[in-house]
PDB file of all heavy atoms in Angstrom:
ATOM      1  N   GLY E  27       0.784  -1.228   0.050  1.00 76.00           N
ATOM      2  CA  GLY E  27      -0.043   0.027  -0.039  1.00 76.00           C
ATOM      3  C   GLY E  27       0.868   1.290   0.013  1.00 76.00           C
ATOM      4  O   GLY E  27       0.478   2.198  -0.721  1.00 76.00           O
ATOM      5  N   LEU E  28       1.943   1.258   0.875  1.00 73.00           N
ATOM      6  CA  LEU E  28       2.819   2.388   0.838  1.00 73.00           C
ATOM      7  C   LEU E  28       3.569   2.596  -0.457  1.00 73.00           C
ATOM      8  O   LEU E  28       3.642   3.715  -0.985  1.00 73.00           O
ATOM      9  CB  LEU E  28       3.866   2.201   1.904  1.00 73.00           C
ATOM     10  CG  LEU E  28       3.350   2.308   3.413  1.00 73.00           C
ATOM     11  CD1 LEU E  28       4.431   1.898   4.333  1.00 73.00           C
ATOM     12  CD2 LEU E  28       2.865   3.622   3.748  1.00 73.00           C
ATOM     13  N   ALA E  29       4.019   1.454  -1.074  1.00 77.00           N
ATOM     14  CA  ALA E  29       4.758   1.656  -2.383  1.00 77.00           C
ATOM     15  C   ALA E  29       3.792   2.070  -3.528  1.00 77.00           C
ATOM     16  O   ALA E  29       4.164   2.925  -4.342  1.00 77.00           O
ATOM     17  CB  ALA E  29       5.343   0.215  -2.786  1.00 77.00           C
ATOM     18  N   LEU E  30       2.594   1.537  -3.504  1.00 79.00           N
ATOM     19  CA  LEU E  30       1.599   1.948  -4.566  1.00 79.00           C
ATOM     20  C   LEU E  30       1.200   3.428  -4.472  1.00 79.00           C
ATOM     21  O   LEU E  30       0.971   4.123  -5.469  1.00 79.00           O
ATOM     22  CB  LEU E  30       0.386   1.136  -4.360  1.00 79.00           C
ATOM     23  CG  LEU E  30      -0.691   1.360  -5.401  1.00 79.00           C
ATOM     24  CD1 LEU E  30      -0.248   1.006  -6.885  1.00 79.00           C
ATOM     25  CD2 LEU E  30      -1.992   0.572  -5.173  1.00 79.00           C
ATOM     26  N   SER E  31       1.304   3.997  -3.318  1.00 77.00           N
ATOM     27  CA  SER E  31       0.837   5.412  -3.103  1.00 77.00           C
ATOM     28  C   SER E  31       1.862   6.394  -3.720  1.00 77.00           C
ATOM     29  O   SER E  31       1.483   7.532  -4.098  1.00 77.00           O
ATOM     30  CB  SER E  31       0.663   5.774  -1.654  1.00 77.00           C
ATOM     31  OG  SER E  31       1.836   5.721  -0.945  1.00 77.00           O
ATOM     32  N   ILE E  32       3.109   5.975  -3.922  1.00 77.00           N
ATOM     33  CA  ILE E  32       4.148   6.846  -4.391  1.00 77.00           C
ATOM     34  C   ILE E  32       3.867   7.305  -5.887  1.00 77.00           C
ATOM     35  O   ILE E  32       3.704   8.480  -6.135  1.00 77.00           O
ATOM     36  CB  ILE E  32       5.549   6.206  -4.351  1.00 77.00           C
ATOM     37  CG1 ILE E  32       5.933   5.893  -2.888  1.00 77.00           C
ATOM     38  CG2 ILE E  32       6.587   7.102  -4.962  1.00 77.00           C
ATOM     39  CD1 ILE E  32       7.226   5.138  -2.718  1.00 77.00           C
ATOM     40  N   PRO E  33       3.675   6.398  -6.853  1.00 81.00           N
ATOM     41  CA  PRO E  33       3.424   6.814  -8.178  1.00 81.00           C
ATOM     42  C   PRO E  33       2.092   7.508  -8.320  1.00 81.00           C
ATOM     43  O   PRO E  33       1.934   8.466  -9.184  1.00 81.00           O
ATOM     44  CB  PRO E  33       3.429   5.487  -9.051  1.00 81.00           C
ATOM     45  CG  PRO E  33       3.254   4.458  -8.091  1.00 81.00           C
ATOM     46  CD  PRO E  33       3.827   4.876  -6.834  1.00 81.00           C
ATOM     47  N   ILE E  34       1.089   7.095  -7.514  1.00 81.00           N
ATOM     48  CA  ILE E  34      -0.240   7.759  -7.632  1.00 81.00           C
ATOM     49  C   ILE E  34      -0.133   9.179  -7.252  1.00 81.00           C
ATOM     50  O   ILE E  34      -0.644  10.086  -7.924  1.00 81.00           O
ATOM     51  CB  ILE E  34      -1.278   6.957  -6.703  1.00 81.00           C
ATOM     52  CG1 ILE E  34      -1.513   5.588  -7.158  1.00 81.00           C
ATOM     53  CG2 ILE E  34      -2.560   7.782  -6.624  1.00 81.00           C
ATOM     54  CD1 ILE E  34      -2.368   4.754  -6.273  1.00 81.00           C
ATOM     55  N   ILE E  35       0.515   9.527  -6.060  1.00 79.00           N
ATOM     56  CA  ILE E  35       0.620  10.763  -5.588  1.00 79.00           C
ATOM     57  C   ILE E  35       1.484  11.679  -6.528  1.00 79.00           C
ATOM     58  O   ILE E  35       1.111  12.776  -6.992  1.00 79.00           O
ATOM     59  CB  ILE E  35       1.210  10.874  -4.222  1.00 79.00           C
ATOM     60  CG1 ILE E  35       0.297  10.203  -3.168  1.00 79.00           C
ATOM     61  CG2 ILE E  35       1.599  12.249  -3.784  1.00 79.00           C
ATOM     62  CD1 ILE E  35       0.813  10.170  -1.771  1.00 79.00           C
ATOM     63  N   MET E  36       2.654  11.138  -7.032  1.00 80.00           N
ATOM     64  CA  MET E  36       3.556  11.915  -7.869  1.00 80.00           C
ATOM     65  C   MET E  36       2.960  12.231  -9.200  1.00 80.00           C
ATOM     66  O   MET E  36       2.963  13.348  -9.691  1.00 80.00           O
ATOM     67  CB  MET E  36       4.912  11.187  -7.984  1.00 80.00           C
ATOM     68  CG  MET E  36       5.647  11.184  -6.707  1.00 80.00           C
ATOM     69  SD  MET E  36       7.369  10.607  -6.935  1.00 80.00           S
ATOM     70  CE  MET E  36       8.119  11.931  -7.852  1.00 80.00           C
ATOM     71  N   TRP E  37       2.408  11.137  -9.825  1.00 83.00           N
ATOM     72  CA  TRP E  37       1.826  11.411 -11.184  1.00 83.00           C
ATOM     73  C   TRP E  37       0.645  12.258 -11.052  1.00 83.00           C
ATOM     74  O   TRP E  37       0.323  13.148 -11.944  1.00 83.00           O
ATOM     75  CB  TRP E  37       1.432   9.958 -11.774  1.00 83.00           C
ATOM     76  CG  TRP E  37       0.887  10.119 -13.197  1.00 83.00           C
ATOM     77  CD1 TRP E  37       1.489  10.410 -14.317  1.00 83.00           C
ATOM     78  CD2 TRP E  37      -0.531  10.096 -13.453  1.00 83.00           C
ATOM     79  NE1 TRP E  37       0.603  10.414 -15.365  1.00 83.00           N
ATOM     80  CE2 TRP E  37      -0.701  10.261 -14.843  1.00 83.00           C
ATOM     81  CE3 TRP E  37      -1.743   9.972 -12.670  1.00 83.00           C
ATOM     82  CZ2 TRP E  37      -1.874  10.207 -15.568  1.00 83.00           C
ATOM     83  CZ3 TRP E  37      -2.973   9.934 -13.278  1.00 83.00           C
ATOM     84  CH2 TRP E  37      -3.036  10.110 -14.682  1.00 83.00           C
ATOM     85  N   GLY E  38      -0.237  11.936 -10.123  1.00 84.00           N
ATOM     86  CA  GLY E  38      -1.436  12.722  -9.842  1.00 84.00           C
ATOM     87  C   GLY E  38      -1.187  14.184  -9.627  1.00 84.00           C
ATOM     88  O   GLY E  38      -1.880  15.094 -10.131  1.00 84.00           O
ATOM     89  N   SER E  39      -0.221  14.506  -8.740  1.00 83.00           N
ATOM     90  CA  SER E  39       0.070  15.837  -8.348  1.00 83.00           C
ATOM     91  C   SER E  39       0.530  16.657  -9.580  1.00 83.00           C
ATOM     92  O   SER E  39       0.099  17.822  -9.816  1.00 83.00           O
ATOM     93  CB  SER E  39       1.244  15.918  -7.363  1.00 83.00           C
ATOM     94  OG  SER E  39       0.866  15.226  -6.223  1.00 83.00           O
ATOM     95  N   ASN E  40       1.356  16.070 -10.428  1.00 84.00           N
ATOM     96  CA  ASN E  40       1.797  16.701 -11.638  1.00 84.00           C
ATOM     97  C   ASN E  40       0.801  17.043 -12.645  1.00 84.00           C
ATOM     98  O   ASN E  40       0.709  18.104 -13.150  1.00 84.00           O
ATOM     99  CB  ASN E  40       3.066  15.853 -12.253  1.00 84.00           C
ATOM    100  CG  ASN E  40       3.780  16.640 -13.285  1.00 84.00           C
ATOM    101  OD1 ASN E  40       4.252  17.755 -13.046  1.00 84.00           O
ATOM    102  ND2 ASN E  40       3.887  16.050 -14.472  1.00 84.00           N
ATOM    103  N   LEU E  41      -0.102  16.075 -12.769  1.00 85.00           N
ATOM    104  CA  LEU E  41      -1.250  16.232 -13.752  1.00 85.00           C
ATOM    105  C   LEU E  41      -2.164  17.299 -13.259  1.00 85.00           C
ATOM    106  O   LEU E  41      -2.586  18.145 -14.067  1.00 85.00           O
ATOM    107  CB  LEU E  41      -1.953  14.881 -13.831  1.00 85.00           C
ATOM    108  CG  LEU E  41      -3.303  14.892 -14.651  1.00 85.00           C
ATOM    109  CD1 LEU E  41      -2.958  15.194 -16.081  1.00 85.00           C
ATOM    110  CD2 LEU E  41      -3.984  13.609 -14.576  1.00 85.00           C
ATOM    111  N   ILE E  42      -2.455  17.294 -11.956  1.00 85.00           N
ATOM    112  CA  ILE E  42      -3.392  18.296 -11.467  1.00 85.00           C
ATOM    113  C   ILE E  42      -2.807  19.672 -11.563  1.00 85.00           C
ATOM    114  O   ILE E  42      -3.507  20.711 -11.928  1.00 85.00           O
ATOM    115  CB  ILE E  42      -3.787  17.923  -9.988  1.00 85.00           C
ATOM    116  CG1 ILE E  42      -4.718  16.726 -10.027  1.00 85.00           C
ATOM    117  CG2 ILE E  42      -4.447  19.156  -9.255  1.00 85.00           C
ATOM    118  CD1 ILE E  42      -4.900  16.084  -8.641  1.00 85.00           C
ATOM    119  N   ALA E  43      -1.483  19.825 -11.264  1.00 84.00           N
ATOM    120  CA  ALA E  43      -0.781  21.161 -11.322  1.00 84.00           C
ATOM    121  C   ALA E  43      -0.928  21.676 -12.760  1.00 84.00           C
ATOM    122  O   ALA E  43      -1.111  22.881 -12.942  1.00 84.00           O
ATOM    123  CB  ALA E  43       0.666  21.037 -10.847  1.00 84.00           C
ATOM    124  N   ARG E  44      -0.656  20.823 -13.681  1.00 86.00           N
ATOM    125  CA  ARG E  44      -0.676  21.280 -15.121  1.00 86.00           C
ATOM    126  C   ARG E  44      -2.161  21.666 -15.567  1.00 86.00           C
ATOM    127  O   ARG E  44      -2.386  22.564 -16.279  1.00 86.00           O
ATOM    128  CB  ARG E  44      -0.199  20.127 -15.983  1.00 86.00           C
ATOM    129  CG  ARG E  44       1.279  19.908 -15.805  1.00 86.00           C
ATOM    130  CD  ARG E  44       1.764  18.870 -16.844  1.00 86.00           C
ATOM    131  NE  ARG E  44       3.237  18.618 -16.600  1.00 86.00           N
ATOM    132  CZ  ARG E  44       4.224  19.421 -17.064  1.00 86.00           C
ATOM    133  NH1 ARG E  44       3.954  20.491 -17.705  1.00 86.00           N
ATOM    134  NH2 ARG E  44       5.547  19.043 -16.684  1.00 86.00           N
ATOM    135  N   LEU E  45      -3.135  20.883 -15.011  1.00 86.00           N
ATOM    136  CA  LEU E  45      -4.535  21.117 -15.321  1.00 86.00           C
ATOM    137  C   LEU E  45      -4.900  22.568 -14.711  1.00 86.00           C
ATOM    138  O   LEU E  45      -5.637  23.335 -15.354  1.00 86.00           O
ATOM    139  CB  LEU E  45      -5.457  20.099 -14.784  1.00 86.00           C
ATOM    140  CG  LEU E  45      -5.520  18.776 -15.624  1.00 86.00           C
ATOM    141  CD1 LEU E  45      -6.314  17.754 -14.824  1.00 86.00           C
ATOM    142  CD2 LEU E  45      -6.164  19.012 -16.934  1.00 86.00           C
ATOM    143  N   LEU E  46      -4.453  22.772 -13.491  1.00 83.00           N
ATOM    144  CA  LEU E  46      -4.743  24.045 -12.905  1.00 83.00           C
ATOM    145  C   LEU E  46      -4.168  25.311 -13.639  1.00 83.00           C
ATOM    146  O   LEU E  46      -4.708  26.377 -13.643  1.00 83.00           O
ATOM    147  CB  LEU E  46      -4.267  24.106 -11.402  1.00 83.00           C
ATOM    148  CG  LEU E  46      -5.100  23.144 -10.463  1.00 83.00           C
ATOM    149  CD1 LEU E  46      -4.358  23.119  -9.066  1.00 83.00           C
ATOM    150  CD2 LEU E  46      -6.489  23.611 -10.278  1.00 83.00           C
ATOM    151  N   ASP E  47      -3.022  25.085 -14.267  1.00 82.00           N
ATOM    152  CA  ASP E  47      -2.384  26.143 -15.156  1.00 82.00           C
ATOM    153  C   ASP E  47      -3.313  26.438 -16.287  1.00 82.00           C
ATOM    154  O   ASP E  47      -3.485  27.577 -16.628  1.00 82.00           O
ATOM    155  CB  ASP E  47      -1.105  25.621 -15.657  1.00 82.00           C
ATOM    156  CG  ASP E  47       0.028  25.625 -14.593  1.00 82.00           C
ATOM    157  OD1 ASP E  47      -0.139  26.368 -13.523  1.00 82.00           O
ATOM    158  OD2 ASP E  47       1.069  24.968 -14.807  1.00 82.00           O
ATOM    159  N   ARG E  48      -3.889  25.495 -16.884  1.00 85.00           N
ATOM    160  CA  ARG E  48      -4.705  25.616 -18.110  1.00 85.00           C
ATOM    161  C   ARG E  48      -6.164  25.973 -17.723  1.00 85.00           C
ATOM    162  O   ARG E  48      -6.810  26.769 -18.507  1.00 85.00           O
ATOM    163  CB  ARG E  48      -4.725  24.366 -18.910  1.00 85.00           C
ATOM    164  CG  ARG E  48      -3.319  23.932 -19.511  1.00 85.00           C
ATOM    165  CD  ARG E  48      -3.461  22.729 -20.351  1.00 85.00           C
ATOM    166  NE  ARG E  48      -2.119  22.307 -20.777  1.00 85.00           N
ATOM    167  CZ  ARG E  48      -1.938  21.313 -21.607  1.00 85.00           C
ATOM    168  NH1 ARG E  48      -2.937  20.620 -22.081  1.00 85.00           N
ATOM    169  NH2 ARG E  48      -0.723  20.953 -22.052  1.00 85.00           N
ATOM    170  N   LEU E  49      -6.646  25.526 -16.574  1.00 83.00           N
ATOM    171  CA  LEU E  49      -8.097  25.679 -16.192  1.00 83.00           C
ATOM    172  C   LEU E  49      -8.084  26.176 -14.762  1.00 83.00           C
ATOM    173  O   LEU E  49      -8.465  25.398 -13.880  1.00 83.00           O
ATOM    174  CB  LEU E  49      -8.848  24.415 -16.379  1.00 83.00           C
ATOM    175  CG  LEU E  49      -8.836  23.776 -17.808  1.00 83.00           C
ATOM    176  CD1 LEU E  49      -9.469  22.314 -17.709  1.00 83.00           C
ATOM    177  CD2 LEU E  49      -9.595  24.602 -18.777  1.00 83.00           C
ATOM    178  N   PRO E  50      -7.816  27.490 -14.528  1.00 82.00           N
ATOM    179  CA  PRO E  50      -7.736  27.991 -13.176  1.00 82.00           C
ATOM    180  C   PRO E  50      -8.980  27.749 -12.290  1.00 82.00           C
ATOM    181  O   PRO E  50      -8.861  27.635 -11.046  1.00 82.00           O
ATOM    182  CB  PRO E  50      -7.488  29.444 -13.285  1.00 82.00           C
ATOM    183  CG  PRO E  50      -6.926  29.552 -14.775  1.00 82.00           C
ATOM    184  CD  PRO E  50      -7.567  28.452 -15.582  1.00 82.00           C
ATOM    185  N   TRP E  51     -10.116  27.686 -12.874  1.00 83.00           N
ATOM    186  CA  TRP E  51     -11.404  27.527 -12.183  1.00 83.00           C
ATOM    187  C   TRP E  51     -11.327  26.118 -11.467  1.00 83.00           C
ATOM    188  O   TRP E  51     -12.179  25.916 -10.498  1.00 83.00           O
ATOM    189  CB  TRP E  51     -12.714  27.638 -13.114  1.00 83.00           C
ATOM    190  CG  TRP E  51     -12.605  26.668 -14.263  1.00 83.00           C
ATOM    191  CD1 TRP E  51     -12.156  26.904 -15.526  1.00 83.00           C
ATOM    192  CD2 TRP E  51     -13.113  25.286 -14.262  1.00 83.00           C
ATOM    193  NE1 TRP E  51     -12.354  25.848 -16.258  1.00 83.00           N
ATOM    194  CE2 TRP E  51     -12.960  24.803 -15.561  1.00 83.00           C
ATOM    195  CE3 TRP E  51     -13.758  24.492 -13.350  1.00 83.00           C
ATOM    196  CZ2 TRP E  51     -13.326  23.501 -15.965  1.00 83.00           C
ATOM    197  CZ3 TRP E  51     -14.082  23.269 -13.718  1.00 83.00           C
ATOM    198  CH2 TRP E  51     -13.896  22.721 -14.965  1.00 83.00           C
ATOM    199  N   LEU E  52     -10.569  25.155 -11.928  1.00 84.00           N
ATOM    200  CA  LEU E  52     -10.498  23.931 -11.259  1.00 84.00           C
ATOM    201  C   LEU E  52     -10.001  23.983  -9.823  1.00 84.00           C
ATOM    202  O   LEU E  52     -10.238  22.998  -9.013  1.00 84.00           O
ATOM    203  CB  LEU E  52      -9.620  22.889 -12.054  1.00 84.00           C
ATOM    204  CG  LEU E  52     -10.223  22.329 -13.318  1.00 84.00           C
ATOM    205  CD1 LEU E  52      -9.168  21.452 -14.080  1.00 84.00           C
ATOM    206  CD2 LEU E  52     -11.550  21.498 -13.015  1.00 84.00           C
ATOM    207  N   VAL E  53      -9.430  25.168  -9.393  1.00 85.00           N
ATOM    208  CA  VAL E  53      -9.029  25.234  -8.039  1.00 85.00           C
ATOM    209  C   VAL E  53     -10.263  25.166  -7.088  1.00 85.00           C
ATOM    210  O   VAL E  53     -10.101  24.749  -6.000  1.00 85.00           O
ATOM    211  CB  VAL E  53      -8.223  26.615  -7.860  1.00 85.00           C
ATOM    212  CG1 VAL E  53      -9.139  27.824  -7.939  1.00 85.00           C
ATOM    213  CG2 VAL E  53      -7.519  26.649  -6.572  1.00 85.00           C
ATOM    214  N   TYR E  54     -11.412  25.534  -7.594  1.00 88.00           N
ATOM    215  CA  TYR E  54     -12.550  25.462  -6.698  1.00 88.00           C
ATOM    216  C   TYR E  54     -13.007  24.005  -6.521  1.00 88.00           C
ATOM    217  O   TYR E  54     -13.489  23.665  -5.471  1.00 88.00           O
ATOM    218  CB  TYR E  54     -13.671  26.288  -7.313  1.00 88.00           C
ATOM    219  CG  TYR E  54     -13.533  27.755  -7.151  1.00 88.00           C
ATOM    220  CD1 TYR E  54     -13.066  28.585  -8.265  1.00 88.00           C
ATOM    221  CD2 TYR E  54     -13.829  28.465  -5.984  1.00 88.00           C
ATOM    222  CE1 TYR E  54     -12.829  29.920  -8.101  1.00 88.00           C
ATOM    223  CE2 TYR E  54     -13.725  29.830  -5.849  1.00 88.00           C
ATOM    224  CZ  TYR E  54     -13.096  30.528  -6.917  1.00 88.00           C
ATOM    225  OH  TYR E  54     -12.892  31.875  -6.807  1.00 88.00           O
ATOM    226  N   VAL E  55     -12.776  23.259  -7.625  1.00 87.00           N
ATOM    227  CA  VAL E  55     -13.066  21.824  -7.557  1.00 87.00           C
ATOM    228  C   VAL E  55     -12.103  21.171  -6.504  1.00 87.00           C
ATOM    229  O   VAL E  55     -12.613  20.396  -5.700  1.00 87.00           O
ATOM    230  CB  VAL E  55     -12.969  21.093  -8.860  1.00 87.00           C
ATOM    231  CG1 VAL E  55     -13.219  19.619  -8.821  1.00 87.00           C
ATOM    232  CG2 VAL E  55     -13.970  21.754  -9.931  1.00 87.00           C
ATOM    233  N   GLY E  56     -10.836  21.457  -6.641  1.00 85.00           N
ATOM    234  CA  GLY E  56      -9.819  20.943  -5.724  1.00 85.00           C
ATOM    235  C   GLY E  56     -10.168  21.369  -4.315  1.00 85.00           C
ATOM    236  O   GLY E  56     -10.010  20.495  -3.325  1.00 85.00           O
ATOM    237  N   ALA E  57     -10.621  22.570  -4.091  1.00 86.00           N
ATOM    238  CA  ALA E  57     -10.865  23.032  -2.613  1.00 86.00           C
ATOM    239  C   ALA E  57     -12.128  22.259  -2.161  1.00 86.00           C
ATOM    240  O   ALA E  57     -12.148  21.945  -1.006  1.00 86.00           O
ATOM    241  CB  ALA E  57     -11.178  24.565  -2.743  1.00 86.00           C
ATOM    242  N   ALA E  58     -13.084  22.057  -3.052  1.00 89.00           N
ATOM    243  CA  ALA E  58     -14.344  21.210  -2.636  1.00 89.00           C
ATOM    244  C   ALA E  58     -13.913  19.882  -2.318  1.00 89.00           C
ATOM    245  O   ALA E  58     -14.442  19.299  -1.189  1.00 89.00           O
ATOM    246  CB  ALA E  58     -15.381  21.287  -3.812  1.00 89.00           C
ATOM    247  N   ILE E  59     -12.974  19.231  -2.968  1.00 86.00           N
ATOM    248  CA  ILE E  59     -12.489  17.792  -2.663  1.00 86.00           C
ATOM    249  C   ILE E  59     -11.821  17.767  -1.339  1.00 86.00           C
ATOM    250  O   ILE E  59     -12.062  17.020  -0.505  1.00 86.00           O
ATOM    251  CB  ILE E  59     -11.569  17.373  -3.822  1.00 86.00           C
ATOM    252  CG1 ILE E  59     -12.368  17.152  -5.049  1.00 86.00           C
ATOM    253  CG2 ILE E  59     -10.836  16.065  -3.300  1.00 86.00           C
ATOM    254  CD1 ILE E  59     -11.492  16.811  -6.169  1.00 86.00           C
ATOM    255  N   LEU E  60     -10.968  18.860  -1.033  1.00 85.00           N
ATOM    256  CA  LEU E  60     -10.295  18.976   0.298  1.00 85.00           C
ATOM    257  C   LEU E  60     -11.303  19.217   1.327  1.00 85.00           C
ATOM    258  O   LEU E  60     -11.178  18.653   2.433  1.00 85.00           O
ATOM    259  CB  LEU E  60      -9.194  19.956   0.255  1.00 85.00           C
ATOM    260  CG  LEU E  60      -8.032  19.742  -0.774  1.00 85.00           C
ATOM    261  CD1 LEU E  60      -7.025  20.818  -0.679  1.00 85.00           C
ATOM    262  CD2 LEU E  60      -7.361  18.389  -0.536  1.00 85.00           C
ATOM    263  N   GLY E  61     -12.314  20.104   1.125  1.00 87.00           N
ATOM    264  CA  GLY E  61     -13.364  20.304   2.093  1.00 87.00           C
ATOM    265  C   GLY E  61     -14.119  19.093   2.410  1.00 87.00           C
ATOM    266  O   GLY E  61     -14.400  18.834   3.520  1.00 87.00           O
ATOM    267  N   PHE E  62     -14.440  18.283   1.360  1.00 88.00           N
ATOM    268  CA  PHE E  62     -15.237  17.117   1.507  1.00 88.00           C
ATOM    269  C   PHE E  62     -14.294  16.093   2.449  1.00 88.00           C
ATOM    270  O   PHE E  62     -14.882  15.440   3.348  1.00 88.00           O
ATOM    271  CB  PHE E  62     -15.467  16.422   0.254  1.00 88.00           C
ATOM    272  CG  PHE E  62     -16.503  15.315   0.315  1.00 88.00           C
ATOM    273  CD1 PHE E  62     -17.877  15.460   0.256  1.00 88.00           C
ATOM    274  CD2 PHE E  62     -16.031  14.001   0.318  1.00 88.00           C
ATOM    275  CE1 PHE E  62     -18.709  14.366   0.380  1.00 88.00           C
ATOM    276  CE2 PHE E  62     -16.722  12.850   0.490  1.00 88.00           C
ATOM    277  CZ  PHE E  62     -18.218  13.069   0.476  1.00 88.00           C
ATOM    278  N   THR E  63     -13.019  16.024   2.147  1.00 84.00           N
ATOM    279  CA  THR E  63     -12.147  15.114   2.843  1.00 84.00           C
ATOM    280  C   THR E  63     -12.060  15.476   4.274  1.00 84.00           C
ATOM    281  O   THR E  63     -12.047  14.728   5.138  1.00 84.00           O
ATOM    282  CB  THR E  63     -10.790  15.095   2.210  1.00 84.00           C
ATOM    283  OG1 THR E  63     -10.823  14.754   0.834  1.00 84.00           O
ATOM    284  CG2 THR E  63      -9.873  14.152   2.890  1.00 84.00           C
ATOM    285  N   GLY E  64     -11.955  16.821   4.536  1.00 85.00           N
ATOM    286  CA  GLY E  64     -11.966  17.282   5.912  1.00 85.00           C
ATOM    287  C   GLY E  64     -13.309  16.903   6.689  1.00 85.00           C
ATOM    288  O   GLY E  64     -13.125  16.488   7.825  1.00 85.00           O
TER     289      GLY E  64
END
């Protein structure tokens, strides 16, 4: 489980950062996801 989380987090973080560059409104989606997780 620990090993599997490494590529998921690294690849996912990079993809999301690039998406936010192109589609800034997605920051609200990200904030909603973090709020839901909280």
Side-chain angles (χ1 to χ4, degrees):
L28 290 172
L30 181 63
S31 66
I32 298 174
I34 293 174
I35 294 174
M36 292 190 67
W37 180 81
S39 302
N40 193 48
L41 174 63
I42 290 165
R44 292 183 183 280
L45 283 174
L46 289 173
D47 285 342
R48 297 182 182 182
L49 304 169
W51 57 268
L52 283 177
V53 72
Y54 287 98
V55 178
I59 291 172
L60 297 182
F62 188 88
T63 303

